[in-house]
Amino acid sequence: MGHQSGSTGGKIVVALERISEAFRVLLWNEGKSLGLSPLQVQVLIFLLHHSDLEKRKVGHLAAEFNMTKATLSDAVKTLEKKGLVEKEFGQQDQRSFAIHLTPAGEGIARQTSHFTEEIQSPIESLPPDEQANLLLNLLSIIRHLNQTGIIGVQRMCFNCAHYGPGHEGHPHFCKLLNAPLKTAELRVDCPEHVPLPSGAK
Ligand code: SF4
């Protein structure tokens, strides 16, 4: 690629592209032996780690994975046919349902959730301050991609209503926990995250 010999920023973009390719290959390999698509594997792993009913609905999953509702519906239908998920219909609205893992689905989700180990391993061999810097920089990139509308749902400190940069002299502060956060403690997928009001990102 032409941009490889250019700026450092250009080379970092190429490096991120390689890592993204590794994610794709690892996910694909993980699903292949189980007869599952990469998206189906991602849905199972997401359900394993998110218990909030609102996050277990097709609309939320579609936003989470930047897919259409129709694509997510198809993935859920296939997982249901394979006996890996089941639906829980709302009492008020019978058309609305949350998706739960069956015991078989939970087993596969646990088995496949380690698919990123080969990416995590070299990161964890870095000194702690380099890991913290890497986290900070990646969060800044994700925030930009979120602000520009390229990627959807993000539950990280940088776009949380509880985040107070500079609060009480701390570079990062969580007003919910009422505590400063070290860089390494910044969260990427926080269960207590509250979205900023629209227009304040
Ligand atoms: S609630 Fe979670 S995402 Fe929000 S600032 Fe606190 S730790 Fe970060």
Side-chain angles (χ1 to χ4, degrees), residues 127-182:
D129 57 336
E130 285 190 30
Q131 287 188 45
N133 272 339
L134 184 56
L135 175 65
L136 187 64
N137 290 321
L138 289 173
L139 286 175
S140 298
I141 295 170
I142 295 168
R143 174 170 52 182
H144 172 78
L145 294 173
N146 179 237
Q147 284 172 335
T148 49
I150 294 167
I151 52 172
V153 186
Q154 300 302 322
R155 291 176 295 276
M156 57 183 191
C157 294
F158 284 177
N159 65 354
C160 175
H162 295 305
Y163 178 63
H167 186 77
E168 295 183 357
H170 300 287
H172 313 292
F173 194 92
C174 174
K175 294 176 191 166
L176 179 74
L177 302 172
N178 194 26
L181 300 168
K182 292 182 191 152

Side-chain angles (χ1 to χ4, degrees), residues 53-140:
L53 285 188
E54 284 307 309
K55 294 197 177 99
R56 291 169 161 259
K57 294 187 173 173
V58 166
H60 181 89
L61 291 169
E64 181 76 30
F65 296 110
N66 297 292
M67 299 274 175
T68 62
K69 277 192 186 180
T71 304
L72 247 298
S73 275
D74 286 347
V76 169
K77 269 186 211 149
T78 306
L79 291 170
E80 195 182 16
K81 274 191 201 147
K82 289 174 182 276
L84 302 177
V85 300
E86 55 197 7
K87 295 172 183 168
E88 177 193 348
F89 287 90
Q91 289 180 341
Q92 313 291 342
D93 181 358
Q94 281 290 307
R95 290 164 307 175
S96 163
F97 59 85
I99 304 147
H100 299 297
L101 292 170
T102 61
E106 184 176 335
I108 289 183
R110 289 196 188 284
Q111 179 190 331
T112 54
S113 63
H114 302 291
F115 84 97
T116 53
E117 265 171 6
E118 291 301 333
I119 296 174
Q120 196 165 334
S121 158
I123 294 170
E124 288 188 341
S125 69
L126 294 171
D129 57 336
E130 285 190 30
Q131 287 188 45
N133 272 339
L134 184 56
L135 175 65
L136 187 64
N137 290 321
L138 289 173
L139 286 175
S140 298

